């Protein structure tokens, strides 16, 4: 047994046909891009490798770890602020984002008593999507569980817990009925035609749900996994709340397994399957409860849905890499370790994932940094479990350092050298709350956003490291809750390495 530490296209009116692909994770990524019966030629074609580009195993490549140093505590602080800027609903008196106010106060379900006020706005828009929101909370929570010391030394523990609780509380509201789960609030097509701040959303918005006749095992399971992390995070500081989270995790898992199927495709965040989420939720429940019935379920779904196969990336739509690592940590079985290392072998230099000239593992044209950051987080957790420790830590540090400045610029708004100033984000692009916000004046304005969206990780560069800091560039300059999730947890992991003296032998002062 291995022991764990406790702890849019911005759819302008003339671009309406692209709305269906907004925030869908076929965003430049093939799902799946590799399976046991595919030839190397097919994999290379799907990866878009240049002719003659090497597809060697990672063990043949020497990875040199970046020697620069960054203020990881400050980056964690800023990323936490980003999630506060994404809040929807009635803001608390402790709100630290002066340019944000109460918003979407009339969000509700089928019954007026089904309040859906709260949660996080998904990206630069004003729609709430439960599937990626729950994934973001799960991955953020996982990082808090693994690396609490990173938050503690930065004085951020109460802030990150408060940030996560904002999401967890919304998940309770989304599951007000035993066999109904609300997975979306807002008309994405209509929202993406407009450029308005969240505070101007004052109308009743449509709410979409799954139930026993229209199941959603994927979104229900992911939300269950998030609530399991909630238990682990709050068990010591607020055991009553933690117990409520665990009860919710179990009930969501019951709902997901009893009524199986993919949740409806409304044009954004379409799911490609639910088997990985079923196993993912069961594995998290086993970690929390140590009840073998959940382990039996996790193993069953893992085999039934071929979760050993290699995923293109770890993200809201595909939990296989995280699941493989989690199953190894829970059981110590080498098969799970082998499945995970197959995934990572594609990401290290010499694998199938293309590298930019300056060193980014570039997986997708749209938002490549989110995938590299998520892979970096998994690599850090795996390294702590004794899997390819040096190679995985080198990879993770290099990827995160690329985002913080090794590339020649920062990709984190408000941090470092030449950070983005025009992220595609309605709320921060709009002027003060008393002034109107319009597409013609504020979206098309060539200057920086009126407010700094501190901590937001933007989508990232093209395959040649080129980057356009423009609101009109959805692929490179969009932001989203799932972008920051793996990134923030990876930064916490690197801060942890520094705290235990394993980041580098001679650590310079932060820059």
């Amino acid at each position: 047994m291995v022991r764990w530490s406790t702890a849019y296209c911005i759819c302008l009116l003339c671009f309406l046909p692209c709305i269906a692909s907004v925030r869908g994770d076929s965003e430049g990524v093939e799902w799946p891009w590799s399976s046991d019966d595919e030839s190397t030629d097919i994999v290379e074609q799907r990866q878009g490798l240049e002719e003659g580009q090497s597809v060697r195993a990672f063990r043949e490549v020497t990875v040199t770890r970046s020697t620069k140093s960054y203020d990881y505590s400050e980056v964690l602080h800023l990323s936490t602020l980003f999630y506060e800027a994404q809040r929807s609903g009635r803001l608390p008196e402790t709100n630290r984002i002066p340019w944000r106010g109460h918003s979407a106060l009339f969000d509700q379900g089928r019954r007026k008593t089904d309040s859906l006020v709260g949660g996080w706005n998904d990206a630069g828009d004003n729609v709430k999507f439960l599937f990626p929101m729950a994934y973001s909370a799960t991955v953020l929570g996982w990082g808090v569980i693994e690396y609490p010391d990173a938050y503690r030394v930065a004085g951020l523990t109460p802030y990150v817990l408060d940030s996560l609780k904002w999401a967890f509380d919304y998940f309770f509201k989304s599951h007000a009925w035993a066999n109904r789960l609300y997975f979306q609030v807002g008309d994405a097509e209509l929202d993406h035609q407009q450029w308005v701040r969240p505070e101007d959303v004052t109308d009743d918005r449509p709410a979409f749900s799954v139930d026993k006749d229209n199941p959603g095992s994927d979104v229900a399971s992911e939300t269950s996994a998030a609530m399991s992390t909630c238990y682990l995070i709050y068990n010591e500081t607020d055991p009553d709340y933690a117990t409520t989270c665990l009860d919710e995790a179990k009930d969501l898992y019951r709902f997901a397994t009893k009524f199986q199927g993919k949740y409806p495709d409304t044009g954004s965040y379409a799911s490609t399957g639910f088997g990985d989420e079923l196993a993912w939720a069961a594995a998290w429940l086993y970690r929390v409860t140590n009840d073998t019935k959940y382990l039996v379920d996790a193993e069953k779904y893992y085999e039934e849905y071929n979760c050993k196969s290699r995923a293109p990336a770890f993200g809201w739509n595909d939990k296989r890499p995280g699941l493989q690592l989690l199953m190894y940590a829970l059981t110590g079985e080498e098969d799970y370790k082998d499945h995970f290392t197959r995934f990572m072998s594609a990401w290290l230099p010499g694998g199938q994932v293309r590298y930019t000239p300056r060193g980014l593992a570039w997986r997708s044209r749209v938002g490549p940094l989110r995938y590299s950051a998520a892979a970096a987080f998994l690599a850090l957790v795996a390294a702590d479990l004794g899997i390819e420790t040096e190679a995985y830590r080198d990879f993770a540090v290099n990827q995160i350092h690329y985002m913080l400045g090794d590339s020649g610029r920062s990709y984190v708004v408000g941090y470092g050298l030449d950070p983005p100033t025009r992220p595609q984000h309605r709320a921060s692009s709009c002027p003060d709350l008393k002034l109107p916000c319009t597409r013609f004046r504020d979206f098309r304005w060539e200057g920086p956003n009126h407010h700094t969206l501190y901590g937001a990780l933007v989508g990232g560069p093209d395959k040649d490291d080129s980057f356009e800091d423009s609101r009109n560039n959805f692929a490179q300059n969009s932001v989203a809750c799932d972008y920051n999730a793996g990134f923030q947890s990876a930064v916490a992991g690197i801060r942890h390495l520094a705290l235990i003296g394993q980041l580098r032998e001679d650590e310079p002062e932060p820059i």
Side-chain angles (χ1 to χ4, degrees):
M1 175 72 71
V2 177
R3 297 184 61 189
W4 284 61
S5 58
T6 56
Y8 322 148
C9 301
I10 177 66
C11 295
L12 302 177
L13 292 176
C14 58
F15 291 138
L16 289 181
C18 73
I19 286 178
S21 67
V22 170
R23 305 295 309 141
D25 243 357
S26 26
E27 296 172 339
V29 179
E30 296 284 349
W31 299 89
W33 57 261
S34 178
S35 62
D36 293 338
D37 59 355
E38 283 187 318
S39 69
T40 301
D41 291 340
I42 294 176
V43 172
E44 290 185 13
Q45 291 170 12
R46 292 190 174 186
Q47 280 292 91
L49 296 177
E50 300 289 352
E51 184 177 357
Q53 183 175 347
S54 173
V55 191
R56 295 172 293 163
F58 73 91
R59 293 179 182 83
E60 300 177 21
V61 178
T62 300
V63 181
T64 302
R65 187 181 303 183
S66 167
T67 57
K68 290 187 179 180
S69 182
Y70 297 91
D71 191 339
Y72 307 116
S73 292
E74 176 63 8
V75 177
L76 289 175
H77 168 231
L78 296 178
S79 186
T80 302
L81 284 177
F82 165 70
Y83 283 100
E84 293 183 23
Q86 292 301 100
R87 287 178 172 178
S88 178
R90 185 170 296 279
L91 301 184
E93 294 182 359
T94 55
N95 172 45
R96 298 190 294 169
I97 312 298
W99 42 271
R100 284 300 323 278
H102 306 319
S103 63
L105 298 179
F106 299 98
D107 287 350
Q108 63 184 34
R110 291 191 175 187
R111 300 182 303 191
K112 292 183 178 180
T113 54
D114 293 345
S115 172
L116 295 175
V117 175
W120 291 327
N121 290 322
D122 173 58
D125 54 6
N126 303 314
V127 186
K128 295 184 290 194
F129 298 104
L130 184 60
F131 198 20
M133 192 192 305
Y135 160 81
S136 302
T138 303
V139 174
L140 283 171
W142 195 358
V144 172
I145 293 163
E146 296 302 319
Y147 307 117
D149 53 346
Y151 291 97
R152 185 172 57 251
V153 299
L156 292 173
T157 300
Y159 295 102
V160 71
L161 295 189
D162 184 58
S163 179
L164 282 167
K165 192 173 184 296
W166 191 268
F168 295 146
D169 287 349
Y170 178 74
F171 299 158
F172 284 118
K173 292 182 177 182
S174 297
H175 190 216
W177 300 10
N179 293 327
R180 184 179 301 280
L181 178 67
Y182 291 99
F183 66 85
Q184 180 178 327
V185 179
D187 183 328
E189 182 174 350
L190 177 61
D191 182 273
H192 295 154
Q193 294 176 27
Q194 303 171 341
W195 195 261
V196 297
R197 60 169 64 90
E199 292 76 11
D200 294 337
V201 178
T202 58
D203 54 340
D204 292 335
R205 302 198 291 175
F208 303 86
S209 63
V210 292
D211 54 35
K212 63 181 182 180
D213 297 319
N214 301 282
S217 300
D218 30 28
V219 65
S221 294
E222 183 56 64
T223 311
S224 171
M227 299 311 282
S228 289
T229 68
C230 175
Y231 174 84
L232 293 171
I233 292 168
Y234 282 96
N235 190 37
E236 294 184 3
T237 60
D238 191 344
D240 290 339
Y241 185 71
T243 299
T244 306
C245 287
L246 178 56
D247 290 342
E248 180 67 13
K250 291 178 179 178
D251 198 41
L252 282 163
Y253 180 72
R254 172 204 58 81
F255 175 53
T257 54
K258 186 175 182 179
F259 308 105
Q260 294 190 17
K262 287 194 304 182
Y263 85 116
D265 180 2
T266 62
S268 300
Y269 290 104
S271 174
T272 55
F274 58 86
D276 55 332
E277 279 85 20
L278 287 174
W280 177 243
W284 274 106
L285 278 168
Y286 176 63
R287 181 175 181 182
V288 171
T289 65
N290 205 33
D291 188 333
T292 55
K293 73 178 182 182
Y294 293 117
L295 178 59
V296 170
D297 279 1
E299 292 171 337
K300 177 184 70 173
Y301 292 129
Y302 192 97
E303 291 299 320
E304 180 178 350
Y305 293 100
N306 194 31
C307 293
K308 68 180 180 181
S309 58
R310 184 166 58 180
F314 178 53
W316 62 263
N317 186 40
D318 201 328
K319 312 309 183 310
R320 282 176 292 173
L323 172 63
Q324 291 159 1
L325 181 59
L326 183 59
M327 291 297 288
Y328 172 67
L330 294 173
T331 68
E333 294 184 9
E334 289 295 311
D335 282 349
Y336 296 123
K337 175 182 174 181
D338 292 343
H339 301 159
F340 177 75
T341 56
R342 284 189 68 242
F343 165 76
M344 281 303 304
S345 70
W347 281 85
L348 297 194
Q352 288 91 338
V353 176
R354 179 201 303 269
Y355 271 65
T356 69
R358 294 180 182 174
L360 175 68
W362 191 84
R363 182 65 191 88
S364 167
R365 183 185 65 84
V366 180
L369 296 183
R370 58 174 153 173
Y371 297 124
S372 302
F377 170 59
L378 293 184
L380 289 168
V381 176
D384 292 342
L385 294 170
I387 307 175
E388 300 290 346
T389 299
E390 288 303 312
Y392 285 6
R393 284 177 177 172
D394 289 347
F395 166 79
V397 170
N398 289 345
Q399 294 307 300
I400 297 302
H401 279 196
Y402 178 99
M403 301 171 203
L404 296 179
D406 276 17
S407 61
R409 67 170 306 139
S410 167
Y411 287 96
V412 180
V413 178
Y415 178 82
L417 176 67
D418 192 23
T421 61
R422 303 170 184 83
Q424 189 189 95
H425 187 265
R426 287 162 175 76
S428 65
S429 76
C430 293
D432 292 342
L433 292 174
K434 294 182 180 180
L435 299 174
C437 181
T438 67
R439 177 188 305 279
F440 292 98
R441 189 181 72 175
D442 299 297
F443 172 73
R444 294 184 178 179
W445 183 48
E446 294 184 358
N449 287 10
H450 289 286
H451 305 287
T452 302
L453 186 63
Y454 286 107
L457 180 73
V458 298
D462 207 337
K463 60 188 177 182
D464 60 357
D465 295 301
S466 62
F467 174 74
E468 180 186 21
D469 183 13
S470 168
R471 263 172 240 107
N472 198 34
N473 194 323
F474 167 79
Q476 296 188 350
N477 222 26
S478 60
V479 299
C481 290
D482 67 293
Y483 284 24
N484 268 69
F487 170 73
Q488 181 172 319
S489 289
V491 172
I494 295 173
R495 182 67 178 116
H496 167 75
L497 289 181
L499 290 172
I500 63 175
Q502 295 186 19
L503 182 57
R504 60 184 60 84
E505 292 183 3
D506 182 20
E507 185 172 350
E509 290 296 318
I511 60 175

